[in-house]
Amino acid sequence: MSTLTNKQIILGITGGIAAYKSAELARLLIDKGATVHVVMTTAAQEFITPLTMQALTGNPVHTTLLDPQAEAGMGHIQLARWADLILIAPASANFIARMTQGKGDDLLTTVCLASNAPVAIAPAMNQNMWQDAHTQRNLESLRADGKIIMGPADGPQACGDVGPGRMLEAAQIAQLAAEQFEKKGLSGKHVVINAGPTREAIDPVRYISNYSSGKMGYSLAEAAVEAGAKVTLISGPVNLAAPERVELISVISAEEMYQQSVKLAPNSDVFIASAAVADYRPVKVEPQKIKKQADVLQIQLTPNKDIVAAVAALDSKPFTVGFAAETQNLEDYAKKKLTQKKLDLIVANDVSKEDIGFNSDDNEVTLFWPSGQRSLDKASKRQLARQIIEFISQQLETTD
Ligand code: C5P
């Protein structure tokens, strides 16, 4: 079980009926070993009294930004520096909106702005407010900034509605808070992943591409986030939703993917090239739609740059991982690519098998690295992604 021994937590409470659960949450955080300071907004005090929270935490409750007496005790900057984690539960729609705008118009928003600690929010609101486009846009933006969103749950609400927007139970939030401190394999690492196909324009309405779905790369991005990494996903055109807490950069052509990859890779710790980059592009992109005329239409192609080889050739080369999708001689071709492209690891799979690979949800891969190899059994791409990420973090540990 995860603990919060010696952890210093600011529990932020905003205005909502779920604030009654914050009392239980404070108690559970303390039970797990944390020291808790509570910061309440003005609206929160309509739902639960500062006295209750003070009695439970054994610490004075902080309510105002511009109170000289409070600032003389533990001022907002001291509070911000003191925290190992800022946990806001419940987080109302209004608070979420203010936070998204970067406002510092009360003590809680100011402490969030002034702190380097991770910020987690447990939203609680009416289901229509939760589903409102503003709220959803705000949450997306907070997620992209690295904020941790806990819940909400789905079910009956205090207002009589049923739907998403209920705050998670105090025990679930306390558990998630404790998990934030678990040492994860890729904590503090920046992982850049490219994924999906590229499209190479022939004319304004046509292109050359391939069947890559992007599922493997997106699963790797999710697994890397789970392992604690900061993740940037450079994606070709796919029909997949952006994974949570991942910075998504959308590109179309191999050249665009190359530019983004070589820009981001030098400052990353791990680069994973899971994209099915088109090997060739038309020499000339016709400015007008090509008309149907001759019996044979010839399109001249020229090779695209090899992205993963370019990254592996960088002076400040990250741990570089390539993929080899082959229809024959898997081992031979994979090992050749590992050496020729100077990779640290190559993930090889046989795309001639119909039940795995390209568009499938499953895959079966073999990992080759300069001093060894390991086959991973057939599994869902999500499960395989976790195993691959786990393997990469072990390799990083041995080279660190
Ligand atoms: O040489 P091949 O295309 O089979 O190698 C596959 C690996 O190389 C994959 O990791 C793929 O993302 C990467 N690659 C690349 N740039 C290219 C072609 C392939 O990064 N132009």
Side-chain angles (χ1 to χ4, degrees):
M1 203 184 76
S2 324
T3 73
L4 287 166
T5 312
N6 297 331
K7 294 294 177 281
Q8 305 185 149
I9 298 182
I10 289 180
L11 174 59
I13 308 179
T14 73
I17 185 59
Y20 80 90
K21 295 185 190 173
S22 308
E24 172 75 351
L25 176 57
R27 201 185 56 73
L28 290 172
L29 296 173
I30 293 164
D31 280 355
K32 281 182 180 286
T35 307
V36 177
H37 270 265
V38 172
V39 176
M40 297 177 81
T41 63
T42 310
Q45 296 165 59
E46 301 287 336
F47 293 91
I48 186 164
T49 68
L51 191 61
T52 305
M53 299 312 298
Q54 180 174 319
L56 286 168
T57 61
N59 285 316
V61 170
H62 311 261
T63 53
T64 44
L65 178 58
L66 302 172
D67 174 354
Q69 220 178 346
E71 287 287 298
M74 200 195 235
H76 64 282
I77 299 293
Q78 273 168 297
L79 259 179
R81 287 197 188 128
W82 173 85
D84 295 319
L85 172 71
I86 300 178
L87 174 61
I88 300 161
S92 66
N94 180 51
F95 180 80
I96 288 170
R98 287 193 293 128
M99 191 181 194
T100 307
Q101 290 178 352
K103 289 208 164 159
D105 53 3
D106 66 359
L107 180 61
L108 189 52
T109 47
T110 307
V111 168
C112 288
L113 282 178
S115 182
N116 288 327
V119 178
I121 63 170
M125 66 196 75
N126 161 270
Q127 52 103 13
N128 274 325
M129 292 168 78
W130 169 256
Q131 286 170 45
D132 185 88
H134 294 91
T135 306
Q136 289 303 316
R137 268 198 302 274
N138 291 340
L139 284 155
E140 219 166 278
S141 155
L142 290 179
R143 249 185 225 113
D145 289 345
K147 305 286 184 279
I148 302 147
I149 319 288
M150 299 177 169
D154 210 309
Q157 302 201 303
C159 54
D161 279 8
V162 177
R166 277 170 62 94
M167 188 167 89
L168 292 184
E169 294 308 322
Q172 291 171 294
I173 298 173
Q175 178 56 28
L176 289 170
E179 284 171 16
Q180 302 309 312
F181 294 101
E182 280 175 11
K183 175 96 181 84
K184 295 178 178 166
L186 291 178
S187 289
K189 305 285 184 200
H190 183 196
V191 177
V192 177
I193 301 174
N194 67 24
T198 64
R199 285 182 187 167
E200 310 305 319
I202 298 171
D203 68 17
V205 296
R206 304 185 179 95
Y207 57 81
I208 298 171
S209 192
N210 57 62
Y211 290 118
S212 168
S213 63
K215 282 178 193 157
M216 194 68 228
Y218 276 57
S219 299
L220 285 162
E222 277 173 11
V225 166
E226 275 175 24
K230 170 180 176 232
V231 179
T232 307
L233 179 61
I234 305 167
S235 176
V238 295
N239 284 317
L240 298 172
E244 288 188 4
R245 287 178 280 154
V246 165
E247 184 198 12
L248 180 72
I249 298 178
S250 298
V251 296
I252 308 276
S253 66
E255 180 58 25
E256 284 171 355
M257 190 173 273
Y258 172 84
Q259 294 299 342
Q260 291 293 341
S261 299
V262 295
K263 185 170 122 193
L264 291 163
N267 294 318
S268 69
D269 300 288
V270 179
F271 181 84
I272 307 179
S274 67
V277 185
D279 287 325
Y280 293 89
R281 68 178 184 280
V283 170
K284 182 165 180 258
V285 182
E286 293 298 334
Q288 303 299 335
K289 184 178 169 192
I290 301 171
K291 301 308 283 179
K292 212 186 308 171
Q293 10 171 286
D295 287 346
V296 177
L297 172 68
Q298 288 197 332
I299 299 173
Q300 274 207 313
L301 302 175
T302 183
N304 279 321
K305 291 172 199 144
D306 193 307
I307 300 172
V308 78
V311 169
L314 289 168
D315 284 341
S316 56
K317 162 186 184 270
F319 185 90
T320 310
V321 183
F323 274 70
E326 306 293 347
T327 52
Q328 56 179 345
N329 301 338
L330 186 66
E331 182 164 346
D332 268 10
Y333 287 146
K335 282 183 173 166
K336 258 188 208 130
K337 277 177 199 167
L338 182 74
T339 322
Q340 280 167 359
K341 300 193 189 208
K342 297 195 168 57
L343 307 178
D344 297 298
L345 176 70
I346 193 152
V347 182
N349 66 321
D350 183 346
V351 285
S352 69
K353 295 189 181 170
E354 269 187 16
D355 54 336
I356 57 169
F358 262 33
N359 237 322
S360 155
D361 286 333
D362 291 339
N363 211 344
E364 185 181 328
V365 302
T366 305
L367 308 182
F368 295 93
W369 62 100
S371 58
Q373 68 180 72
R374 182 188 298 173
S375 292
L376 305 181
D377 291 341
K378 182 178 164 185
S380 73
K381 286 184 176 173
R382 296 181 77 138
Q383 285 163 343
L384 279 175
R386 287 200 193 106
Q387 294 179 54
I388 295 168
I389 291 293
E390 171 69 26
F391 181 81
I392 293 171
S393 58
Q394 283 165 6
Q395 293 292 101
L396 285 187
E397 243 171 59
T398 57
T399 53
D400 264 358

